[in-house]
Amino acid sequence: MKAPADQVRRAFARQPEEIRRKVEPLVKRLEGDVDAQRARLAELASVLEGGDPAKGREIFQGRKASCTACHAVAGQGGRVGPDLSKIGGIRAPRDLLESVVFPSASFVRGYEPTAIRTKEGTVLDGVIARETADAVTLTLADRNERRIPRATIEALAQGKISIMPQGLDRQLTP
């Protein structure tokens, strides 16, 4: 898990003491968030033992979690999020748990959230599906694509919130 508090501290390390003091409440809040996330992952650690592949497949493909709406396994499923066919071979179980429980903690390259603000003031969050010289096409959280002409874009930046639903650990039983 990245430590955003450390990143903020580093970013302001060379600033005058007065500015660093003003940033400290934010740093403390970020540290609290990380501590709470670590505690939640520790609380759920028991789910990493054993497991039933058939039950896991049923949950993955079922309506409650709707994982296949965005993720593919063995060529079946959506393309909004990364293909998970070989994920168990490249990620540790704890990393997988974190990505389900806290999907905004880190992002797979190529699936980073993007925030676009148009000149009219509309803000759109999604994952870039396609880019051309004339437009950016975002896949939104509802899995619909939205084409935004570049001439209408005021700002485009990497987002911080995943379009993967938060709280899946609360929807599913261990």
Side-chain angles (χ1 to χ4, degrees), residues 2-144:
K2 294 179 186 175
D6 293 339
Q7 293 171 345
V8 171
R9 272 200 184 103
R10 276 195 305 274
F12 285 90
R14 295 186 177 165
Q15 296 299 317
E17 177 65 27
E18 178 183 339
I19 292 174
R20 288 196 313 267
R21 259 195 315 268
K22 289 181 179 182
V23 170
E24 198 57 29
L26 169 64
V27 170
K28 293 293 184 200
R29 194 176 94 225
L30 291 171
E31 286 174 337
D33 292 347
V34 170
D35 290 344
Q37 288 180 353
R38 285 186 180 131
R40 180 65 179 147
L41 291 174
E43 188 181 311
L44 293 170
S46 65
V47 302
L48 300 174
E49 304 298 322
D52 178 348
K55 186 71 171 167
R57 186 178 307 105
E58 181 182 318
I59 292 167
F60 187 83
Q61 294 173 342
R63 287 182 170 208
K64 195 169 191 177
S66 300
C67 303
T68 56
C70 295
H71 296 282
V73 170
Q76 295 186 313
R79 301 277 183 246
V80 177
D83 185 308
L84 300 179
S85 298
K86 298 178 182 179
I87 197 70
I90 58 174
R91 295 280 190 255
R94 185 156 186 320
D95 294 338
L96 295 175
L97 178 63
E98 180 186 73
S99 67
V100 171
V101 177
F102 301 112
S104 297
S106 63
F107 305 109
V108 173
R109 191 172 305 161
Y111 294 93
E112 299 92 346
T114 299
I116 293 178
R117 185 176 61 244
T118 66
K119 291 177 181 174
E120 296 81 33
T122 303
V123 176
L124 300 162
D125 294 303
V127 175
I128 294 177
R130 288 179 300 288
E131 286 187 86
T132 66
D134 299 324
V136 176
T137 302
L138 282 184
T139 302
L140 307 175
D142 63 6
R143 295 181 302 279
N144 287 313

